[in-house]
């Protein structure tokens, strides 16, 4: 009888211990904090999750993700980063421009940070060098800022008669100053004139595009800006309405009716962020992971839009294009 009581006691103890063990296992699941300059889930999230899965991590199964969206309001980033630090996440993925990465870096010197930016992470102050990032920060750069002059060169080939160039930037984006500086230098080298147009809210777009005609702007560059991507359909429609050849930084603009884009793959940069986050969760150190850089850039052209603008795309550009949308 005593043996039976001991067995029942042992069984009951094991049953009571099981939920505790299950909870402990659940608590051990690593948590990734996603700090994003944009709003709501966007096209970059799926490739980021795909990159995580390549290292064996699947959201909801063996990794959890805390999402924090700045909704294009850069002044919200420090508080959002501090909130992730308070939640003691294991890694912070700071995406879309250098601003989230800088906010996360200011909030913690111990939690690993993986950034995704179109800027120069050394000039922006994210890392000490590309090959040896140092500290708790590494990531992926598309180098979109550094290729802005190349975008101007391609636009010039498409619109050789344009002597006045417009540049649309968001003055609240910390990276805008560098973009303006680089385009100003490139414009001067080509003997052209530049008008910098500042737009930080969607309601300003109509009046700014109307002013382009008065300023004599013959071609327009749209800076890489998260909020502009959300407003892309309106921007594309306004460029068409005013008949202004316009170049963009992402393929999605051209797929939606924009004229031309030139950039590294945004989706692949997010995938690489996911891979780095997974490798860090497995024990690698950010300081040992060099900043990933693109090796190829994509030129995408829209023939239908070019025809509507009365432009004939040179054979040279057509031959260079990675994709031609008809």
């Amino acid at each position: 009888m005593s043996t039976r009581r001991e067995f029942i006691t042992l069984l009951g103890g094991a049953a009571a211990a099981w939920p505790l063990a299950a909870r402990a296992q659940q608590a051990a699941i690593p948590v990734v904090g996603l700090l994003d300059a944009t709003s709501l889930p966007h096209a970059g999230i799926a490739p980021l999750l795909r990159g995580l899965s390549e290292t064996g991590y699947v959201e909801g199964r063996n990794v959890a993700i805390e999402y924090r969206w700045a909704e294009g309001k850069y002044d919200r980033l420090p508080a959002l980063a501090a909130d992730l630090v308070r939640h003691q996440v294991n890694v912070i993925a700071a995406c879309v421009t250098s601003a989230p990465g800088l906010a996360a870096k200011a909030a913690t010197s111990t939690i690993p940070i993986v950034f995704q930016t179109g800027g120069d992470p050394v000039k922006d102050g994210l890392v000490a060098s590309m090959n040896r990032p140092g500290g708790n920060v590494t990531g992926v750069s598309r180098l979109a800022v550094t290729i802005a002059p190349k975008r101007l060169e391609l636009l010039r080939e498409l619109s050789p008669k344009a002597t006045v160039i417009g540049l649309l930037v968001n003055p609240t984006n910390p990276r805008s100053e560098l973009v303006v500086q680089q385009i100003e230098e490139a414009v001067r080298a080509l003997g052209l004139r530049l008008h910098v147009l500042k737009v930080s809210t969607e309601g300003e777009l109509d009046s700014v595009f109307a002013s382009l005609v008065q300023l004599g702007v013959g071609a327009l560059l749209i800076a890489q800006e998260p909020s502009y991507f959300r407003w892309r359909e309106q921007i594309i429609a306004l460029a068409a309405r005013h008949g202004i050849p316009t170049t963009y930084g992402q393929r999605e603009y051209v797929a939606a009716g924009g004229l031309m884009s030139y950039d590294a793959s945004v989706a692949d940069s997010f995938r690489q962020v996911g891979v780095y986050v997974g490798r860090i969760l497995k024990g690698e150190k950010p300081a040992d992971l060099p900043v990933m850089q693109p090796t190829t850039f994509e030129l995408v052209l829209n023939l239908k839009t070019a025809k509507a603008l009365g432009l004939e795309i040179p054979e040279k550009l057509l031959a260079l294009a990675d994709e031609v949308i008809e």
Side-chain angles (χ1 to χ4, degrees), residues 180-263:
V180 172
Q181 179 186 334
Q182 291 194 328
I183 293 297
E184 280 178 338
E185 292 173 0
V187 164
R188 279 198 300 269
L190 292 170
L192 305 174
R193 287 188 295 138
L194 178 70
H195 281 293
V196 178
L197 305 139
K198 298 178 180 180
V199 172
S200 58
T201 65
E202 191 174 7
E204 297 171 308
L205 286 170
D206 282 311
S207 60
V208 165
F209 268 87
S211 73
L212 294 176
V213 178
Q214 299 170 350
L215 294 169
V217 170
L220 179 65
L221 286 94
I222 306 295
Q224 297 251 26
E225 165 60 39
S227 56
Y228 292 175
F229 187 79
R230 296 202 312 275
W231 311 332
R232 62 188 178 279
E233 291 187 3
Q234 185 180 352
I235 291 172
I236 291 164
L238 286 167
R241 184 190 308 167
H242 294 283
I244 300 173
T246 305
T247 182
Y248 308 90
Q250 291 171 249
R251 179 198 174 278
E252 287 82 358
Y253 283 94
V254 185
L259 177 62
M260 176 172 64
S261 68
Y262 183 72
D263 191 21

Side-chain angles (χ1 to χ4, degrees), residues 113-142:
I113 299 165
V114 181
F115 60 78
Q116 186 269 356
T117 181
D120 183 328
V122 176
K123 286 184 178 178
D124 289 349
L126 282 166
V127 294
S129 77
M130 301 291 266
N131 290 330
R132 296 179 180 276
N136 62 320
V137 183
T138 188
V140 182
S141 174
R142 301 193 326 278

